[in-house]
Amino acid sequence: MCGICGSHGPDASAEAVATMLRQMEHRGPDGEGSWQAPGIVLGHRRLAIVDLSERGRQPMISGDGHIAISVNGEIYNYTELRRELEQHGHVFVSDCDSETVIHAWRQWGEDSFRRFNGMFAIALWDADQKALHLVRDRMGIKPIYYWNDGAQTLFASDMRAIVAASGWREWSISASGLSQYLTYENRFGAQTMLEGVCLVEPGHRIRIDGNGIEDFCFADPGLYEAADMSFPEAVSGFKATFGEAIDRHLMSDVPLASYLSAGIDSGMVTLAAADRLSADGGPTAFTGRFDAGGWYDEASGAAMVAASRGLPHRLASINAESFRTHFDDLVFALEEPRMGTGALPQYLVAMEVAKTHKVVLTGHGGDELFSGYPVFKFVLLVQALKRSPAAFFKALRSLRISELPHIGYFALAALSGREKPFLPRLFSPALRQRLLCNGVTSALKASPGTVTEPVAGTAFDRLMRQYLRDYLPGLLVVEDKVSMAHALESRTPFLDNELVAFALSLPAEVKLDAGALKAVPRAAARGILPEALFSMPKRGFPNPLGAWLRGPLSGWMRERLCGEASALNRLFEPKALESHVERYLGSWRRRIRPLDEIATHRIWMLLCLESWIRQFDDKLGVQLQPPGVKEGR
């Protein structure tokens, strides 16, 4: 794990790469390296995890000097690939998984990346082609950004490294990026919040040469066909495939830790790793604990899981004051406003893990792949209603009380015919019109940032594609940023290639067997996880942010959003924003947690925007201009 960067083109600059390496020191405190040839400079920051020797240093160059790579991430099946490549006559000089990239490119060319089972962002220079290739893993676990100013292309694992190396002192906020963020608290595809800066899409390879920039897709997990499989067969297949994925993700020359909540996914990952690492005492488990307790307490459930294997269990305490203290640090680490109020708790737990570990296992991806969200049950209801009233009422009886607000929300969204009905909409067009300055509103209308969705397949098929292409990559970027801010590598066994393929082969009725969310992993976990966990409601790492914003953080929040020095004054009408904040503080919805979630997310989003704009100015010396204002040096 590390940070990668580079400069390509007639004005390829070693100085720009040096600047980017300084900006990414947090990603790789174990060393740095650079390499250059005419028209190309590569840089690398190292977090040593596999092959800790000097032979694992990067950039890594082929024996004849024709291929150079800088790799971020892990290739979990590299030992199998290495054996195959050695049979073809390739000679390896290190035990590092990254060296596999050079030999695979030599042997298989563009088909190499389909063979890699792992998380990676790769920069590969081929001197014979005079081409630079930027590659991102199929699920989008590791990000890589690029920007072209006409004379050179800069790329990096961190967007702010590119901004710092550009030398620009003003940058325009992207109208499309801002529009998508305000609507969905997310961005899609290659879109970022900075005009001209692009994110390589999951499963894509960007080729950059003298003819320009070309984009190729080498893997699309959204294209799949369900197999004919019974529920018992699915549970048996999951156990085997999940175990193999865990085996691959334990590849490391340093000790491992694991995030642990009271949920099924993190519990399964932690205990599976514990069973395989029992000789070394198993992974240390880490859990975030809110001082509010009650609904927000997952520490007690996590403690039961850790105790079942005698694992070391550490808690990261989270309260309103720690939120205030670390909020700006989080936003700066995210580099741009990103989805989820859970990012701050993630950041604080990662900070605790990084005090003693370099690698942590996570449960990311389980809900998206195995239908763990209430929206999947909503689709089940819709499909049952189309079959018969009897099927509908049978499905209706499977609903939990805690799921009803979500089901109602998505039902109303679908009836309204809105774009992306399965993703919550935060700021409606009418609310944006009321809050934004006129110039910003006009810029967003001219570039709304809409995304065309595939229409083929059942509603369940469309939902799966949407969550794999639109929702999950956003979560993964957040996880990358909050972990790497502390030089911590996070690994996601649920997103192993083989486990993803297995999950996508399961029919909808199997994933939601007997109307249960995430039915297959839940059944597989019986007899492994403590029985008490199965009666607990799904919470998804909730936090008491709403109570904090209306309580101990209310004055801080008002000052950030409505104060004279607020950075939001560049985008929003101050009086309208002040009224919005006051309505939130006094809203009757504050007494009903599910109804208050979207309103609290809106305030979170505004706080993130304000902090992002202000810190770009304060820490990078770059003034972010409203959409529509041409950026300049």
Side-chain angles (χ1 to χ4, degrees):
M1 185 63 69
C2 57
I4 66 175
C5 61
S7 173
H8 171 271
D11 291 349
S13 168
E15 182 180 353
V17 170
T19 297
M20 291 190 282
L21 289 172
R22 286 194 297 271
Q23 283 288 327
M24 296 193 299
E25 184 177 1
H26 57 282
R27 279 188 167 266
D30 295 334
E32 70 171 68
S34 61
W35 171 89
Q36 67 185 92
I40 183 69
V41 185
L42 298 181
H44 187 273
R45 296 242 32 143
R46 188 182 189 197
L47 181 63
I49 291 172
V50 176
D51 190 350
L52 309 184
S53 72
E54 288 299 299
R55 294 176 303 172
R57 290 180 66 88
Q58 296 188 52
M60 199 172 282
I61 318 302
S62 63
D64 60 8
H66 288 204
I67 299 172
I69 60 167
S70 188
V71 180
N72 173 23
E74 308 289 355
I75 299 171
Y76 299 119
N77 65 334
Y78 85 100
T79 54
E80 294 91 336
L81 293 171
R82 176 172 177 152
R83 283 195 296 268
E84 185 176 355
L85 288 163
E86 286 175 336
Q87 291 174 359
H88 286 290
H90 293 263
V91 178
F92 286 73
V93 298
S94 78
D95 295 319
C96 182
D97 59 309
S98 295
E99 188 184 352
T100 308
V101 176
I102 291 176
H103 298 285
W105 179 258
R106 273 275 170 79
Q107 185 67 35
W108 301 307
E110 298 167 3
D111 288 334
S112 302
F113 310 114
R114 294 188 183 91
R115 296 170 177 258
F116 295 165
N117 189 348
M119 55 177 186
F120 52 83
I122 297 171
L124 184 150
W125 169 253
D126 189 319
D128 295 331
Q129 297 180 357
K130 292 186 172 55
L132 170 68
H133 301 268
L134 304 179
V135 190
R136 188 178 178 196
D137 65 78
R138 65 181 63 198
M139 302 307 294
I141 304 170
K142 293 286 102 184
I144 182 168
Y145 304 86
Y146 64 97
W147 170 78
N148 180 272
D149 70 352
Q152 68 172 329
T153 297
L154 299 179
F155 66 88
S157 299
D158 282 352
M159 188 164 57
R160 68 171 180 264
I162 293 174
V163 172
S166 73
W168 289 21
R169 291 294 168 258
E170 292 183 353
W171 210 294
S172 180
I173 298 172
S174 164
S176 296
L178 180 59
S179 180
Q180 289 180 0
Y181 176 70
L182 290 175
T183 305
Y184 300 108
E185 198 183 359
N186 200 359
R187 275 167 304 286
F188 310 117
Q191 186 68 61
T192 73
M193 289 282 278
L194 294 182
E195 189 67 40
V197 179
C198 297
L199 179 62
V200 177
E201 295 187 55
H204 280 238
R205 173 177 60 90
I206 303 295
R207 176 187 170 117
I208 306 171
D209 58 22
N211 296 319
I213 299 176
E214 292 183 277
D215 190 341
F216 303 91
C217 177
F218 67 86
D220 184 355
L223 299 176
Y224 63 91
E225 290 186 8
D228 184 12
M229 192 181 307
S230 69
F231 185 69
E233 289 172 335
V235 174
S236 176
F238 172 83
K239 289 179 179 179
T241 312
F242 178 75
E244 293 165 359
I246 291 291
D247 289 336
R248 282 187 282 271
H249 281 70
L250 298 183
M251 174 188 82
S252 177
D253 292 327
V254 300
L256 275 67
S258 184
Y259 290 142
L260 182 60
S261 69
I264 300 294
D265 301 337
S266 65
M268 287 284 285
V269 168
T270 300
L271 294 193
D275 291 342
R276 289 157 172 78
L277 300 174
S278 56
D280 300 320
T284 301
F286 289 82
T287 304
R289 179 175 62 185
F290 294 100
D291 61 357
W295 171 259
Y296 307 103
D297 174 33
E298 297 204 50
S300 56
M304 286 191 291
V305 176
S308 72
R309 295 293 192 280
L311 297 177
H313 186 211
R314 299 181 188 175
L315 300 176
S317 296
I318 306 168
N319 53 42
E321 187 52 40
S322 59
F323 181 98
R324 187 203 323 252
T325 300
H326 295 285
F327 177 74
D328 283 338
D329 296 335
L330 164 71
V331 175
F332 194 67
L334 291 175
E335 301 195 286
E336 57 181 344
R338 279 276 170 190
M339 63 191 299
T341 61
L344 196 281
Q346 283 178 262
Y347 180 89
L348 294 175
V349 178
M351 184 167 63
E352 187 66 25
V353 177
K355 293 176 182 178
T356 52
H357 290 76
K358 284 184 174 182
V359 182
V360 65
L361 302 172
T362 87
H364 284 71
D367 285 321
E368 291 78 15
L369 289 168
F370 291 95
S371 303
Y373 296 124
V375 64
F376 288 97
K377 193 172 284 191
F378 165 71
V379 171
L380 176 72
L381 285 169
V382 172
Q383 292 181 337
L385 181 60
K386 290 180 178 179
R387 288 198 303 272
S388 70
F392 174 74
F393 285 111
K394 180 181 178 181
L396 199 61
R397 286 195 295 271
S398 73
L399 292 181
R400 291 185 174 189
I401 293 176
S402 61
E403 295 166 352
L404 292 177
H406 301 277
I407 299 296
Y409 174 86
F410 289 112
L412 291 173
L415 288 171
S416 71
R418 75 170 61 153
E419 178 204 16
K420 295 184 184 296
F422 301 133
L423 297 178
R425 185 170 65 180
L426 282 301
F427 285 85
S428 67
L431 184 55
R432 283 162 44 171
Q433 176 98 20
R434 187 162 68 242
L435 296 180
L436 292 168
C437 298
N438 290 336
V440 177
T441 299
S442 298
L444 266 56
K445 285 182 178 178
S447 186
T450 55
V451 179
T452 302
E453 285 299 310
V455 295
T458 66
F460 187 88
D461 294 332
R462 296 196 300 274
L463 173 60
M464 283 297 300
R465 292 190 188 101
Q466 188 165 91
Y467 268 66
L468 289 175
R469 294 177 180 179
D470 295 342
Y471 187 76
L472 182 58
L475 292 178
L476 296 174
V477 170
V478 170
E479 177 56 36
D480 172 83
K481 300 300 180 183
V482 300
S483 59
M484 291 309 295
H486 308 293
L488 177 68
E489 173 178 296
S490 59
R491 296 183 176 179
T492 55
F494 272 99
L495 299 181
D496 179 270
N497 286 6
E498 299 303 320
L499 190 53
V500 169
F502 173 78
L504 296 179
S505 74
L506 298 179
E509 59 271 18
V510 170
K511 287 186 177 181
L512 297 166
D513 183 71
L517 293 176
K518 211 156 48 183
V520 173
R522 286 179 68 87
R526 292 280 183 181
I528 298 175
L529 296 179
E531 191 61 28
L533 260 65
F534 294 94
S535 60
M536 293 182 177
K538 178 176 178 58
R539 286 175 284 194
F541 205 9
N543 59 77
L545 180 57
W548 292 343
L549 292 175
R550 294 189 177 95
L553 298 181
S554 60
W556 173 82
M557 182 260 288
R558 274 195 179 101
E559 184 62 27
R560 285 290 181 102
L561 301 186
C562 307
E564 291 184 6
S566 173
L568 291 184
N569 292 336
R570 301 181 195 177
L571 302 175
F572 293 84
E573 293 290 349
K575 291 294 185 183
L577 196 55
E578 184 176 357
S579 296
H580 180 77
V581 168
E582 294 305 320
R583 280 195 299 272
Y584 170 76
L585 291 172
S587 172
W588 61 269
R589 292 182 177 85
R590 69 187 185 277
R591 298 182 180 87
I592 307 174
R593 181 186 48 78
L595 299 182
D596 194 46
E597 285 183 1
I598 287 183
T600 298
H601 269 268
R602 291 190 190 112
I603 298 297
W604 160 268
M605 293 166 67
L606 294 171
L607 287 168
C608 289
L609 269 174
E610 196 281 333
S611 177
W612 174 61
I613 295 170
R614 175 168 40 80
Q615 290 193 89
F616 254 64
D617 203 341
D618 293 346
K619 294 183 177 181
L620 297 178
V622 175
Q623 188 173 75
L624 295 176
Q625 298 290 348
V629 176
K630 184 176 177 60
E631 70 269 22
R633 297 181 183 278

